[in-house]
C-alpha cells in the first residue's frame, strides 16, 4: 500500500512561486508514475503534470506548460512540483497521485491512479 503526503502549499501573490512536495512510502517510488492534479472549488479534479515511470519523461497540461516543472528525488522518495509565475486561476487543492500500472494514454485521467495524497491548498491572491 502506497502512502502519499503532500506539503508546501500556501498563499502567494500573483507572479509568485511555490514548490510542492509529495513524499511516498510503501511502494516502488523509483519505478512508479507520479502525477499532480488540482481541484478548484466547484470544479472537477484536473491533470497538472506527470513523470511517467522510471524513464523521467514529463507531461504537462496546456494551462501550466512553461510555468511548472515536475521532478523526483529517488533518494528521498519525494516528488516535487515547482510552480512559477502563479496566477489566480492556479488556486485550488493540489493532489499527488501514484501508479505502478498506468499506461501512457491514461496519465491525464484520475481513474488511472490508485494512490492519492490528502491534498495541499494553494491560493494565489493579492
Amino acid at each position: 500500500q502506497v502512502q502519499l503526503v503532500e506539503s508546501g502549499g500556501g498563499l502567494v501573490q500573483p507572479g509568485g512561486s511555490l514548490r510542492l512536495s509529495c513524499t511516498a512510502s510503501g511502494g516502488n517510488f523509483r519505478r512508479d508514475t507520479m502525477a499532480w492534479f488540482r481541484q478548484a472549488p466547484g470544479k472537477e479534479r484536473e491533470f497538472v503534470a506527470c513523470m511517467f515511470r522510471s524513464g523521467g519523461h514529463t507531461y504537462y497540461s496546456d494551462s501550466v506548460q512553461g510555468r511548472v516543472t515536475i521532478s523526483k528525488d529517488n533518494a528521498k522518495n519525494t516528488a516535487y512540483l515547482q510552480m512559477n509565475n502563479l496566477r489566480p486561476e492556479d488556486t485550488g487543492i493540489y493532489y499527488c497521485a501514484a501508479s505502478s500500472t498506468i499506461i501512457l494514454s491514461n496519465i491525464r485521467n484520475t481513474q488511472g491512479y490508485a494512490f492519492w495524497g490528502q491534498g495541499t491548498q494553494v491560493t494565489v491572491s493579492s
Side-chain angles (χ1 to χ4, degrees):
Q1 186 78 1
V2 176
Q3 294 184 326
L4 305 172
V5 179
E6 301 101 331
S7 61
L11 172 65
V12 63
Q13 292 186 344
S17 298
L18 278 177
R19 188 178 78 159
L20 307 182
S21 300
C22 171
T23 301
S25 61
N28 189 330
F29 182 79
R30 185 181 299 272
R31 180 195 65 194
D32 288 349
T33 294
M34 301 298 297
W36 289 91
F37 287 74
R38 67 187 182 189
Q39 188 165 17
K43 295 188 176 181
E44 293 187 351
R45 196 170 297 189
E46 65 173 2
F47 172 80
V48 176
C50 170
M51 181 170 282
F52 187 67
R53 296 184 181 171
S54 59
H57 294 289
T58 57
Y59 302 86
Y60 300 94
S61 68
D62 290 343
S63 61
V64 304
Q65 181 75 49
R67 301 187 295 120
V68 165
T69 303
I70 186 172
S71 62
K72 289 172 67 178
D73 185 336
N74 290 327
K76 296 182 178 180
N77 276 12
T78 300
Y80 301 99
L81 189 71
Q82 176 67 44
M83 302 188 293
N84 301 321
N85 191 21
L86 283 162
R87 305 167 179 169
E89 53 264 38
D90 294 317
T91 294
I93 301 175
Y94 282 68
Y95 297 92
C96 177
S99 173
S100 61
T101 60
I102 197 168
I103 59 176
L104 185 58
S105 61
N106 209 28
I107 60 170
R108 290 174 170 79
N109 297 322
T110 57
Q111 296 90 337
Y113 296 88
F115 305 105
W116 293 85
Q118 82 289 349
T120 185
Q121 176 71 45
V122 172
T123 303
V124 185
S125 175
S126 55

